[in-house]
Amino acid sequence: MDWSFDPNRPQLSHYPSRAENPDALPDLETSLKTIGEYQRRLWANREKALLLVVHGPDASGKDSLIRTLATYMDPAGFHAWSFSRPTGSETRHDFLWRVTPFLPAFGEVSAFNRSHHEAVIAERAWPVWHAGPGELRGRYTSLRQFEQHLAREGTCILKFWLHTSEQEHEKRLRKRLDKPHKRWKFDPSDIEGWQRREELLGYAEEAIAATHISEAPWHIIPADKKPEARAIVAGLLADTLKTLAPEYPEGNETVLSRYRQLLDDT
């Protein structure tokens, strides 16, 4: 199945919020074990890096998705970071400044829960500073060039939009209010985001279309059913890791022979 964004279908309403054939989805547990194995190979080789960018409306399942993907990963080579509205010193730098220190090093997988793309989505609804149309176009150019640069230098980028229906979005927000173990996640901005849902989705559609490039493609993931979304993303991540680190690095036989001899002599 192809979950890639289609520039000929720029509106998110054109994409399903549930998998049309869930029985055909990759097996989640198999994909997670594959991710764990090949992430260790990536960590051992230290030649490539992988950046996961996860976006979606409030309560679309970003946290739980990233937590699931990390099930079998070696924590030494995996990191997850969240980016909300810029504050403090973040507002006194260019919009890419705040994410740069958290990019994955070679051998690492990093997951961004929201990302540098917030500058052309949420920040349009809640601006940190007032920007005109020219600056918005400039940010789209900067985003494309930034990700093209990362790709040239050895970082593979996968971008996911978790697509939820209006009904499911409302249902999950109500759970945050009604269930004590979920209430800690609730923020008043969630309600404003709900009230401005169509506006924010419009910004997201524009941003996805403007930053969908071959070096860093967007994938539109049906997310009304969290297990389906996790299975889809895990399958894509597993397939990508296989291409980045197919084998463990070969050892230096001279060095290995020396250590064997030292062990034999003890």
mmCIF file of all heavy atoms in Angstrom, residues 96-145:
data_model
loop_
_atom_site.group_PDB
_atom_site.id
_atom_site.type_symbol
_atom_site.label_atom_id
_atom_site.label_comp_id
_atom_site.label_asym_id
_atom_site.label_seq_id
_atom_site.Cartn_x
_atom_site.Cartn_y
_atom_site.Cartn_z
ATOM 1 N N LEU A 96 14.541 27.753 12.319
ATOM 2 C CA LEU A 96 15.164 26.430 12.276
ATOM 3 C C LEU A 96 16.150 26.211 13.423
ATOM 4 O O LEU A 96 16.565 25.078 13.677
ATOM 5 C CB LEU A 96 15.883 26.228 10.945
ATOM 6 C CG LEU A 96 14.986 26.147 9.704
ATOM 7 C CD1 LEU A 96 15.832 26.169 8.441
ATOM 8 C CD2 LEU A 96 14.128 24.892 9.747
ATOM 9 N N TRP A 97 16.489 27.283 14.118
ATOM 10 C CA TRP A 97 17.530 27.210 15.137
ATOM 11 C C TRP A 97 17.204 26.205 16.232
ATOM 12 O O TRP A 97 18.053 25.457 16.686
ATOM 13 C CB TRP A 97 17.723 28.613 15.735
ATOM 14 C CG TRP A 97 18.697 28.684 16.874
ATOM 15 C CD1 TRP A 97 20.052 28.781 16.804
ATOM 16 C CD2 TRP A 97 18.378 28.676 18.273
ATOM 17 N NE1 TRP A 97 20.605 28.850 18.055
ATOM 18 C CE2 TRP A 97 19.594 28.777 18.985
ATOM 19 C CE3 TRP A 97 17.196 28.609 18.992
ATOM 20 C CZ2 TRP A 97 19.647 28.815 20.367
ATOM 21 C CZ3 TRP A 97 17.242 28.633 20.373
ATOM 22 C CH2 TRP A 97 18.464 28.732 21.049
ATOM 23 N N ARG A 98 15.951 26.184 16.659
ATOM 24 C CA ARG A 98 15.615 25.395 17.847
ATOM 25 C C ARG A 98 15.643 23.894 17.594
ATOM 26 O O ARG A 98 15.788 23.106 18.537
ATOM 27 C CB ARG A 98 14.255 25.810 18.404
ATOM 28 C CG ARG A 98 13.053 25.496 17.516
ATOM 29 C CD ARG A 98 11.789 25.898 18.238
ATOM 30 N NE ARG A 98 10.582 25.600 17.488
ATOM 31 C CZ ARG A 98 9.444 25.253 18.051
ATOM 32 N NH1 ARG A 98 9.354 25.157 19.371
ATOM 33 N NH2 ARG A 98 8.386 25.006 17.319
ATOM 34 N N VAL A 99 15.490 23.439 16.343
ATOM 35 C CA VAL A 99 15.501 21.997 16.096
ATOM 36 C C VAL A 99 16.897 21.470 15.777
ATOM 37 O O VAL A 99 17.159 20.277 15.935
ATOM 38 C CB VAL A 99 14.545 21.606 14.956
ATOM 39 C CG1 VAL A 99 13.129 22.079 15.244
ATOM 40 C CG2 VAL A 99 15.023 22.122 13.603
ATOM 41 N N THR A 100 17.783 22.353 15.338
ATOM 42 C CA THR A 100 19.091 21.900 14.855
ATOM 43 C C THR A 100 19.879 21.086 15.887
ATOM 44 O O THR A 100 20.452 20.044 15.546
ATOM 45 C CB THR A 100 19.922 23.103 14.369
ATOM 46 O OG1 THR A 100 19.200 23.776 13.330
ATOM 47 C CG2 THR A 100 21.267 22.654 13.834
ATOM 48 N N PRO A 101 19.924 21.473 17.174
ATOM 49 C CA PRO A 101 20.704 20.682 18.133
ATOM 50 C C PRO A 101 20.163 19.271 18.359
ATOM 51 O O PRO A 101 20.870 18.432 18.932
ATOM 52 C CB PRO A 101 20.608 21.512 19.427
ATOM 53 C CG PRO A 101 20.220 22.882 18.997
ATOM 54 C CD PRO A 101 19.359 22.686 17.796
ATOM 55 N N PHE A 102 18.934 19.009 17.936
ATOM 56 C CA PHE A 102 18.308 17.724 18.226
ATOM 57 C C PHE A 102 18.252 16.799 17.014
ATOM 58 O O PHE A 102 17.648 15.726 17.075
ATOM 59 C CB PHE A 102 16.901 17.956 18.779
ATOM 60 C CG PHE A 102 16.888 18.854 19.986
ATOM 61 C CD1 PHE A 102 16.486 20.175 19.888
ATOM 62 C CD2 PHE A 102 17.316 18.381 21.219
ATOM 63 C CE1 PHE A 102 16.502 21.013 20.989
ATOM 64 C CE2 PHE A 102 17.332 19.205 22.328
ATOM 65 C CZ PHE A 102 16.927 20.533 22.219
ATOM 66 N N LEU A 103 18.889 17.204 15.926
ATOM 67 C CA LEU A 103 18.943 16.339 14.755
ATOM 68 C C LEU A 103 19.757 15.090 15.071
ATOM 69 O O LEU A 103 20.691 15.134 15.876
ATOM 70 C CB LEU A 103 19.574 17.093 13.577
ATOM 71 C CG LEU A 103 18.758 18.250 13.019
ATOM 72 C CD1 LEU A 103 19.605 19.054 12.037
ATOM 73 C CD2 LEU A 103 17.484 17.751 12.344
ATOM 74 N N PRO A 104 19.433 13.962 14.462
ATOM 75 C CA PRO A 104 20.170 12.732 14.777
ATOM 76 C C PRO A 104 21.594 12.764 14.247
ATOM 77 O O PRO A 104 21.851 13.229 13.131
ATOM 78 C CB PRO A 104 19.346 11.652 14.066
ATOM 79 C CG PRO A 104 18.675 12.378 12.935
ATOM 80 C CD PRO A 104 18.367 13.747 13.466
ATOM 81 N N ALA A 105 22.518 12.274 15.055
ATOM 82 C CA ALA A 105 23.888 12.056 14.593
ATOM 83 C C ALA A 105 23.920 10.796 13.736
ATOM 84 O O ALA A 105 22.973 9.996 13.745
ATOM 85 C CB ALA A 105 24.828 11.919 15.790
ATOM 86 N N PHE A 106 24.994 10.588 13.011
ATOM 87 C CA PHE A 106 25.106 9.377 12.211
ATOM 88 C C PHE A 106 25.018 8.159 13.131
ATOM 89 O O PHE A 106 25.689 8.087 14.158
ATOM 90 C CB PHE A 106 26.415 9.362 11.429
ATOM 91 C CG PHE A 106 26.482 10.448 10.374
ATOM 92 C CD1 PHE A 106 27.644 11.172 10.172
ATOM 93 C CD2 PHE A 106 25.370 10.751 9.605
ATOM 94 C CE1 PHE A 106 27.704 12.165 9.215
ATOM 95 C CE2 PHE A 106 25.423 11.753 8.650
ATOM 96 C CZ PHE A 106 26.592 12.466 8.446
ATOM 97 N N GLY A 107 24.169 7.230 12.757
ATOM 98 C CA GLY A 107 23.914 6.048 13.565
ATOM 99 C C GLY A 107 22.653 6.152 14.397
ATOM 100 O O GLY A 107 22.180 5.146 14.922
ATOM 101 N N GLU A 108 22.091 7.336 14.503
ATOM 102 C CA GLU A 108 20.944 7.539 15.384
ATOM 103 C C GLU A 108 19.627 7.638 14.619
ATOM 104 O O GLU A 108 19.579 8.008 13.444
ATOM 105 C CB GLU A 108 21.135 8.816 16.199
ATOM 106 C CG GLU A 108 22.279 8.760 17.193
ATOM 107 C CD GLU A 108 22.408 10.041 17.990
ATOM 108 O OE1 GLU A 108 21.770 11.062 17.635
ATOM 109 O OE2 GLU A 108 23.152 10.026 18.984
ATOM 110 N N VAL A 109 18.562 7.337 15.345
ATOM 111 C CA VAL A 109 17.195 7.619 14.913
ATOM 112 C C VAL A 109 16.629 8.648 15.879
ATOM 113 O O VAL A 109 16.698 8.464 17.095
ATOM 114 C CB VAL A 109 16.318 6.351 14.932
ATOM 115 C CG1 VAL A 109 14.863 6.702 14.577
ATOM 116 C CG2 VAL A 109 16.851 5.294 13.987
ATOM 117 N N SER A 110 16.104 9.737 15.350
ATOM 118 C CA SER A 110 15.440 10.741 16.184
ATOM 119 C C SER A 110 14.017 10.932 15.695
ATOM 120 O O SER A 110 13.761 10.942 14.487
ATOM 121 C CB SER A 110 16.179 12.080 16.144
ATOM 122 O OG SER A 110 17.389 12.012 16.861
ATOM 123 N N ALA A 111 13.099 11.067 16.636
ATOM 124 C CA ALA A 111 11.695 11.312 16.318
ATOM 125 C C ALA A 111 11.316 12.687 16.819
ATOM 126 O O ALA A 111 11.552 13.017 17.988
ATOM 127 C CB ALA A 111 10.802 10.247 16.946
ATOM 128 N N PHE A 112 10.756 13.495 15.933
ATOM 129 C CA PHE A 112 10.256 14.819 16.301
ATOM 130 C C PHE A 112 8.736 14.756 16.405
ATOM 131 O O PHE A 112 8.044 14.484 15.430
ATOM 132 C CB PHE A 112 10.623 15.857 15.243
ATOM 133 C CG PHE A 112 12.060 16.333 15.282
ATOM 134 C CD1 PHE A 112 12.968 15.809 16.184
ATOM 135 C CD2 PHE A 112 12.497 17.315 14.393
ATOM 136 C CE1 PHE A 112 14.289 16.248 16.217
ATOM 137 C CE2 PHE A 112 13.799 17.770 14.424
ATOM 138 C CZ PHE A 112 14.705 17.241 15.329
ATOM 139 N N ASN A 113 8.227 14.996 17.621
ATOM 140 C CA ASN A 113 6.785 15.149 17.842
ATOM 141 C C ASN A 113 6.467 16.621 17.598
ATOM 142 O O ASN A 113 6.728 17.470 18.438
ATOM 143 C CB ASN A 113 6.440 14.733 19.272
ATOM 144 C CG ASN A 113 4.967 14.848 19.572
ATOM 145 O OD1 ASN A 113 4.221 15.532 18.873
ATOM 146 N ND2 ASN A 113 4.526 14.193 20.632
ATOM 147 N N ARG A 114 5.904 16.908 16.429
ATOM 148 C CA ARG A 114 5.888 18.240 15.844
ATOM 149 C C ARG A 114 7.344 18.600 15.535
ATOM 150 O O ARG A 114 8.262 17.900 15.953
ATOM 151 C CB ARG A 114 5.195 19.268 16.728
ATOM 152 C CG ARG A 114 3.765 18.870 17.137
ATOM 153 C CD ARG A 114 3.049 20.039 17.781
ATOM 154 N NE ARG A 114 1.775 19.664 18.366
ATOM 155 C CZ ARG A 114 0.621 19.611 17.697
ATOM 156 N NH1 ARG A 114 0.600 19.881 16.406
ATOM 157 N NH2 ARG A 114 -0.499 19.285 18.310
ATOM 158 N N SER A 115 7.549 19.679 14.793
ATOM 159 C CA SER A 115 8.903 19.900 14.303
ATOM 160 C C SER A 115 9.075 21.314 13.783
ATOM 161 O O SER A 115 8.277 22.214 14.094
ATOM 162 C CB SER A 115 9.196 18.911 13.168
ATOM 163 O OG SER A 115 8.456 19.276 11.995
ATOM 164 N N HIS A 116 10.094 21.498 12.957
ATOM 165 C CA HIS A 116 10.343 22.770 12.282
ATOM 166 C C HIS A 116 9.165 23.173 11.387
ATOM 167 O O HIS A 116 9.030 24.348 11.047
ATOM 168 C CB HIS A 116 11.633 22.685 11.459
ATOM 169 C CG HIS A 116 11.849 21.389 10.736
ATOM 170 N ND1 HIS A 116 12.064 20.202 11.406
ATOM 171 C CD2 HIS A 116 11.898 21.091 9.420
ATOM 172 C CE1 HIS A 116 12.229 19.224 10.520
ATOM 173 N NE2 HIS A 116 12.131 19.730 9.308
ATOM 174 N N HIS A 117 8.313 22.224 11.029
ATOM 175 C CA HIS A 117 7.152 22.541 10.196
ATOM 176 C C HIS A 117 6.060 23.292 10.975
ATOM 177 O O HIS A 117 5.137 23.831 10.355
ATOM 178 C CB HIS A 117 6.585 21.263 9.579
ATOM 179 C CG HIS A 117 7.479 20.686 8.529
ATOM 180 N ND1 HIS A 117 7.390 21.052 7.202
ATOM 181 C CD2 HIS A 117 8.502 19.804 8.610
ATOM 182 C CE1 HIS A 117 8.313 20.399 6.508
ATOM 183 N NE2 HIS A 117 8.996 19.644 7.339
ATOM 184 N N GLU A 118 6.172 23.337 12.300
ATOM 185 C CA GLU A 118 5.221 24.132 13.071
ATOM 186 C C GLU A 118 5.272 25.604 12.660
ATOM 187 O O GLU A 118 4.290 26.331 12.794
ATOM 188 C CB GLU A 118 5.519 24.018 14.569
ATOM 189 C CG GLU A 118 5.052 22.723 15.217
ATOM 190 C CD GLU A 118 3.534 22.642 15.264
ATOM 191 O OE1 GLU A 118 2.939 22.157 14.279
ATOM 192 O OE2 GLU A 118 2.942 23.070 16.271
ATOM 193 N N ALA A 119 6.426 26.023 12.133
ATOM 194 C CA ALA A 119 6.590 27.417 11.740
ATOM 195 C C ALA A 119 5.677 27.819 10.601
ATOM 196 O O ALA A 119 5.441 29.016 10.398
ATOM 197 C CB ALA A 119 8.050 27.680 11.351
ATOM 198 N N VAL A 120 5.168 26.837 9.854
ATOM 199 C CA VAL A 120 4.254 27.157 8.745
ATOM 200 C C VAL A 120 2.877 26.522 8.960
ATOM 201 O O VAL A 120 2.050 26.517 8.050
ATOM 202 C CB VAL A 120 4.844 26.702 7.388
ATOM 203 C CG1 VAL A 120 6.032 27.564 7.012
ATOM 204 C CG2 VAL A 120 5.231 25.220 7.408
ATOM 205 N N ILE A 121 2.634 25.994 10.165
ATOM 206 C CA ILE A 121 1.310 25.444 10.479
ATOM 207 C C ILE A 121 0.754 26.167 11.710
ATOM 208 O O ILE A 121 0.037 27.153 11.585
ATOM 209 C CB ILE A 121 1.375 23.911 10.698
ATOM 210 C CG1 ILE A 121 1.969 23.204 9.460
ATOM 211 C CG2 ILE A 121 -0.028 23.355 10.967
ATOM 212 C CD1 ILE A 121 2.147 21.712 9.614
ATOM 213 N N ALA A 122 1.106 25.709 12.898
ATOM 214 C CA ALA A 122 0.540 26.293 14.120
ATOM 215 C C ALA A 122 0.920 27.753 14.300
ATOM 216 O O ALA A 122 0.120 28.553 14.800
ATOM 217 C CB ALA A 122 0.972 25.481 15.337
ATOM 218 N N GLU A 123 2.131 28.122 13.907
ATOM 219 C CA GLU A 123 2.561 29.504 14.110
ATOM 220 C C GLU A 123 1.815 30.485 13.207
ATOM 221 O O GLU A 123 1.882 31.698 13.410
ATOM 222 C CB GLU A 123 4.068 29.631 13.912
ATOM 223 C CG GLU A 123 4.865 29.046 15.068
ATOM 224 C CD GLU A 123 6.355 29.212 14.888
ATOM 225 O OE1 GLU A 123 6.778 30.296 14.422
ATOM 226 O OE2 GLU A 123 7.099 28.262 15.194
ATOM 227 N N ARG A 124 1.109 29.974 12.216
ATOM 228 C CA ARG A 124 0.246 30.858 11.427
ATOM 229 C C ARG A 124 -1.032 31.189 12.206
ATOM 230 O O ARG A 124 -1.600 32.266 12.044
ATOM 231 C CB ARG A 124 -0.098 30.202 10.092
ATOM 232 C CG ARG A 124 1.085 30.099 9.152
ATOM 233 C CD ARG A 124 0.693 29.479 7.830
ATOM 234 N NE ARG A 124 -0.225 30.339 7.075
ATOM 235 C CZ ARG A 124 -0.750 30.023 5.894
ATOM 236 N NH1 ARG A 124 -0.430 28.845 5.340
ATOM 237 N NH2 ARG A 124 -1.560 30.838 5.268
ATOM 238 N N ALA A 125 -1.465 30.247 13.036
ATOM 239 C CA ALA A 125 -2.654 30.488 13.857
ATOM 240 C C ALA A 125 -2.305 31.263 15.125
ATOM 241 O O ALA A 125 -3.078 32.109 15.575
ATOM 242 C CB ALA A 125 -3.310 29.155 14.218
ATOM 243 N N TRP A 126 -1.152 30.946 15.705
ATOM 244 C CA TRP A 126 -0.682 31.619 16.917
ATOM 245 C C TRP A 126 0.719 32.163 16.649
ATOM 246 O O TRP A 126 1.709 31.576 17.077
ATOM 247 C CB TRP A 126 -0.666 30.639 18.091
ATOM 248 C CG TRP A 126 -2.015 30.070 18.391
ATOM 249 C CD1 TRP A 126 -3.050 30.691 19.028
ATOM 250 C CD2 TRP A 126 -2.485 28.753 18.064
ATOM 251 N NE1 TRP A 126 -4.130 29.849 19.119
ATOM 252 C CE2 TRP A 126 -3.819 28.650 18.540
ATOM 253 C CE3 TRP A 126 -1.921 27.654 17.426
ATOM 254 C CZ2 TRP A 126 -4.581 27.507 18.391
ATOM 255 C CZ3 TRP A 126 -2.675 26.503 17.259
ATOM 256 C CH2 TRP A 126 -3.991 26.443 17.743
ATOM 257 N N PRO A 127 0.813 33.277 15.930
ATOM 258 C CA PRO A 127 2.125 33.769 15.491
ATOM 259 C C PRO A 127 3.013 34.197 16.645
ATOM 260 O O PRO A 127 2.554 34.806 17.612
ATOM 261 C CB PRO A 127 1.782 34.942 14.577
ATOM 262 C CG PRO A 127 0.410 35.372 15.001
ATOM 263 C CD PRO A 127 -0.291 34.128 15.454
ATOM 264 N N VAL A 128 4.273 33.838 16.537
ATOM 265 C CA VAL A 128 5.275 34.310 17.487
ATOM 266 C C VAL A 128 5.653 35.745 17.142
ATOM 267 O O VAL A 128 5.944 36.556 17.998
ATOM 268 C CB VAL A 128 6.515 33.392 17.437
ATOM 269 C CG1 VAL A 128 7.611 33.896 18.364
ATOM 270 C CG2 VAL A 128 6.118 31.968 17.831
ATOM 271 N N TRP A 129 5.672 36.029 15.862
ATOM 272 C CA TRP A 129 5.826 37.395 15.368
ATOM 273 C C TRP A 129 5.009 37.499 14.095
ATOM 274 O O TRP A 129 4.628 36.501 13.501
ATOM 275 C CB TRP A 129 7.295 37.749 15.106
ATOM 276 C CG TRP A 129 7.968 36.808 14.155
ATOM 277 C CD1 TRP A 129 7.909 36.808 12.799
ATOM 278 C CD2 TRP A 129 8.795 35.703 14.503
ATOM 279 N NE1 TRP A 129 8.643 35.779 12.268
ATOM 280 C CE2 TRP A 129 9.216 35.077 13.302
ATOM 281 C CE3 TRP A 129 9.268 35.181 15.727
ATOM 282 C CZ2 TRP A 129 10.032 33.968 13.277
ATOM 283 C CZ3 TRP A 129 10.090 34.070 15.684
ATOM 284 C CH2 TRP A 129 10.471 33.477 14.482
ATOM 285 N N HIS A 130 4.731 38.706 13.683
ATOM 286 C CA HIS A 130 3.865 38.904 12.529
ATOM 287 C C HIS A 130 4.684 38.801 11.251
ATOM 288 O O HIS A 130 5.678 39.495 11.069
ATOM 289 C CB HIS A 130 3.156 40.258 12.618
ATOM 290 C CG HIS A 130 2.211 40.347 13.776
ATOM 291 N ND1 HIS A 130 1.000 39.687 13.798
ATOM 292 C CD2 HIS A 130 2.309 40.994 14.966
ATOM 293 C CE1 HIS A 130 0.386 39.934 14.944
ATOM 294 N NE2 HIS A 130 1.161 40.714 15.671
ATOM 295 N N ALA A 131 4.257 37.911 10.378
ATOM 296 C CA ALA A 131 4.973 37.679 9.128
ATOM 297 C C ALA A 131 4.029 37.884 7.953
ATOM 298 O O ALA A 131 2.851 37.525 8.010
ATOM 299 C CB ALA A 131 5.524 36.255 9.095
ATOM 300 N N GLY A 132 4.542 38.453 6.897
ATOM 301 C CA GLY A 132 3.753 38.663 5.700
ATOM 302 C C GLY A 132 3.834 37.472 4.762
ATOM 303 O O GLY A 132 4.557 36.506 5.019
ATOM 304 N N PRO A 133 3.086 37.507 3.655
ATOM 305 C CA PRO A 133 3.088 36.407 2.687
ATOM 306 C C PRO A 133 4.480 36.082 2.155
ATOM 307 O O PRO A 133 4.805 34.920 1.923
ATOM 308 C CB PRO A 133 2.170 36.921 1.574
ATOM 309 C CG PRO A 133 1.316 37.968 2.227
ATOM 310 C CD PRO A 133 2.180 38.594 3.265
ATOM 311 N N GLY A 134 5.312 37.124 1.975
ATOM 312 C CA GLY A 134 6.657 36.886 1.462
ATOM 313 C C GLY A 134 7.482 36.045 2.408
ATOM 314 O O GLY A 134 8.233 35.162 1.977
ATOM 315 N N GLU A 135 7.343 36.288 3.718
ATOM 316 C CA GLU A 135 8.107 35.506 4.689
ATOM 317 C C GLU A 135 7.621 34.066 4.723
ATOM 318 O O GLU A 135 8.421 33.137 4.878
ATOM 319 C CB GLU A 135 8.009 36.119 6.080
ATOM 320 C CG GLU A 135 8.861 35.366 7.106
ATOM 321 C CD GLU A 135 8.974 36.083 8.440
ATOM 322 O OE1 GLU A 135 8.657 37.291 8.497
ATOM 323 O OE2 GLU A 135 9.369 35.431 9.407
ATOM 324 N N LEU A 136 6.314 33.848 4.552
ATOM 325 C CA LEU A 136 5.793 32.486 4.533
ATOM 326 C C LEU A 136 6.378 31.712 3.348
ATOM 327 O O LEU A 136 6.824 30.577 3.498
ATOM 328 C CB LEU A 136 4.268 32.499 4.452
ATOM 329 C CG LEU A 136 3.583 31.134 4.420
ATOM 330 C CD1 LEU A 136 3.854 30.366 5.708
ATOM 331 C CD2 LEU A 136 2.081 31.300 4.206
ATOM 332 N N ARG A 137 6.404 32.314 2.178
ATOM 333 C CA ARG A 137 6.997 31.650 1.012
ATOM 334 C C ARG A 137 8.473 31.368 1.251
ATOM 335 O O ARG A 137 8.991 30.319 0.858
ATOM 336 C CB ARG A 137 6.808 32.520 -0.235
ATOM 337 C CG ARG A 137 5.365 32.582 -0.731
ATOM 338 C CD ARG A 137 5.296 33.191 -2.119
ATOM 339 N NE ARG A 137 5.737 34.587 -2.130
ATOM 340 C CZ ARG A 137 4.943 35.619 -1.919
ATOM 341 N NH1 ARG A 137 3.650 35.432 -1.667
ATOM 342 N NH2 ARG A 137 5.425 36.857 -1.962
ATOM 343 N N GLY A 138 9.136 32.309 1.907
ATOM 344 C CA GLY A 138 10.541 32.101 2.230
ATOM 345 C C GLY A 138 10.752 30.926 3.169
ATOM 346 O O GLY A 138 11.730 30.188 3.038
ATOM 347 N N ARG A 139 9.840 30.762 4.112
ATOM 348 C CA ARG A 139 9.963 29.628 5.041
ATOM 349 C C ARG A 139 9.764 28.305 4.320
ATOM 350 O O ARG A 139 10.464 27.315 4.621
ATOM 351 C CB ARG A 139 8.964 29.775 6.185
ATOM 352 C CG ARG A 139 9.354 30.840 7.179
ATOM 353 C CD ARG A 139 8.470 30.841 8.405
ATOM 354 N NE ARG A 139 9.009 31.734 9.416
ATOM 355 C CZ ARG A 139 8.575 31.812 10.676
ATOM 356 N NH1 ARG A 139 7.575 31.032 11.067
ATOM 357 N NH2 ARG A 139 9.120 32.651 11.533
ATOM 358 N N TYR A 140 8.840 28.261 3.382
ATOM 359 C CA TYR A 140 8.687 27.032 2.609
ATOM 360 C C TYR A 140 9.987 26.703 1.868
ATOM 361 O O TYR A 140 10.428 25.555 1.835
ATOM 362 C CB TYR A 140 7.550 27.173 1.596
ATOM 363 C CG TYR A 140 6.163 27.147 2.199
ATOM 364 C CD1 TYR A 140 5.156 27.987 1.704
ATOM 365 C CD2 TYR A 140 5.847 26.288 3.240
ATOM 366 C CE1 TYR A 140 3.877 27.962 2.243
ATOM 367 C CE2 TYR A 140 4.576 26.256 3.792
ATOM 368 C CZ TYR A 140 3.599 27.095 3.282
ATOM 369 O OH TYR A 140 2.331 27.078 3.818
ATOM 370 N N THR A 141 10.594 27.719 1.275
ATOM 371 C CA THR A 141 11.872 27.507 0.576
ATOM 372 C C THR A 141 12.937 27.023 1.536
ATOM 373 O O THR A 141 13.684 26.077 1.242
ATOM 374 C CB THR A 141 12.327 28.816 -0.095
ATOM 375 O OG1 THR A 141 11.352 29.233 -1.048
ATOM 376 C CG2 THR A 141 13.668 28.625 -0.805
ATOM 377 N N SER A 142 13.017 27.655 2.723
ATOM 378 C CA SER A 142 14.015 27.255 3.718
ATOM 379 C C SER A 142 13.803 25.824 4.178
ATOM 380 O O SER A 142 14.767 25.065 4.363
ATOM 381 C CB SER A 142 13.973 28.205 4.914
ATOM 382 O OG SER A 142 14.360 29.507 4.555
ATOM 383 N N LEU A 143 12.553 25.422 4.384
ATOM 384 C CA LEU A 143 12.255 24.061 4.817
ATOM 385 C C LEU A 143 12.703 23.053 3.771
ATOM 386 O O LEU A 143 13.331 22.030 4.095
ATOM 387 C CB LEU A 143 10.763 23.905 5.095
ATOM 388 C CG LEU A 143 10.260 24.541 6.392
ATOM 389 C CD1 LEU A 143 8.738 24.645 6.387
ATOM 390 C CD2 LEU A 143 10.731 23.747 7.602
ATOM 391 N N ARG A 144 12.402 23.317 2.526
ATOM 392 C CA ARG A 144 12.821 22.389 1.459
ATOM 393 C C ARG A 144 14.342 22.305 1.388
ATOM 394 O O ARG A 144 14.908 21.207 1.321
ATOM 395 C CB ARG A 144 12.241 22.833 0.118
ATOM 396 C CG ARG A 144 10.730 22.698 -0.001
ATOM 397 C CD ARG A 144 10.258 22.915 -1.429
ATOM 398 N NE ARG A 144 10.504 24.267 -1.903
ATOM 399 C CZ ARG A 144 9.626 25.260 -1.835
ATOM 400 N NH1 ARG A 144 8.425 25.048 -1.294
ATOM 401 N NH2 ARG A 144 9.918 26.468 -2.304
ATOM 402 N N GLN A 145 14.996 23.448 1.406
ATOM 403 C CA GLN A 145 16.449 23.458 1.291
ATOM 404 C C GLN A 145 17.116 22.827 2.510
ATOM 405 O O GLN A 145 18.136 22.131 2.382
ATOM 406 C CB GLN A 145 16.939 24.890 1.085
ATOM 407 C CG GLN A 145 16.528 25.483 -0.257
ATOM 408 C CD GLN A 145 16.961 26.919 -0.421
ATOM 409 O OE1 GLN A 145 17.324 27.597 0.550
ATOM 410 N NE2 GLN A 145 16.931 27.418 -1.652
#
